[in-house]
Amino acid sequence: MMPRETIRTARFEARVSPEVLAVVKRAAELQGRSVSDFVVDAARDAAHRAIEEACIIRLSVEDQHRFAEALLNPEPLTPSMERAVARYLSLNA
């Protein structure tokens, strides 16, 4: 028989005002959940949203076309950009 994996948990504490606690308790009650379960789910959802917002770039259709066009047909490098590329290549070759 394979040994069962042990599920480990970590403790998380936060100090909140009585008003915030009352709102959180009320919301948890409305959903029939414990305060702990409600807070953990809300924190996880907020963390996922924050990560998504930081990692995903959203563009309008027009901006998507402009971006694709810039990739497919880039503007020529300016002299200062050519020097920067040459310097980068000399340092990282």
Side-chain angles (χ1 to χ4, degrees):
M1 217 186 256
M2 304 264 305
R4 286 192 208 174
E5 287 187 35
T6 303
I7 298 175
R8 295 180 185 225
T9 61
R11 188 164 206 59
F12 178 81
E13 294 183 30
R15 295 192 182 277
V16 298
S17 69
E19 294 81 15
V20 170
L21 181 58
V23 170
V24 171
K25 279 184 176 180
R26 178 68 177 134
E29 288 171 0
L30 289 170
Q31 292 186 354
R33 301 162 69 185
S34 69
V35 170
S36 180
D37 184 46
F38 181 85
V39 169
V40 168
D41 280 351
R44 185 190 59 239
D45 292 345
H48 284 297
R49 279 192 311 277
I51 292 167
E52 181 179 299
E53 288 172 7
C55 296
I56 296 175
I57 300 171
R58 300 192 193 285
L59 300 174
S60 67
V61 173
E62 179 184 337
D63 288 336
Q64 291 175 37
H65 289 292
R66 291 176 63 198
F67 182 72
E69 181 62 29
L71 289 176
L72 296 172
N73 300 305
E75 295 286 325
L77 295 178
T78 63
S80 62
M81 286 294 293
E82 288 177 356
R83 288 191 304 274
V85 169
R87 187 163 200 285
Y88 173 82
L89 293 174
S90 70
L91 293 174
N92 294 295

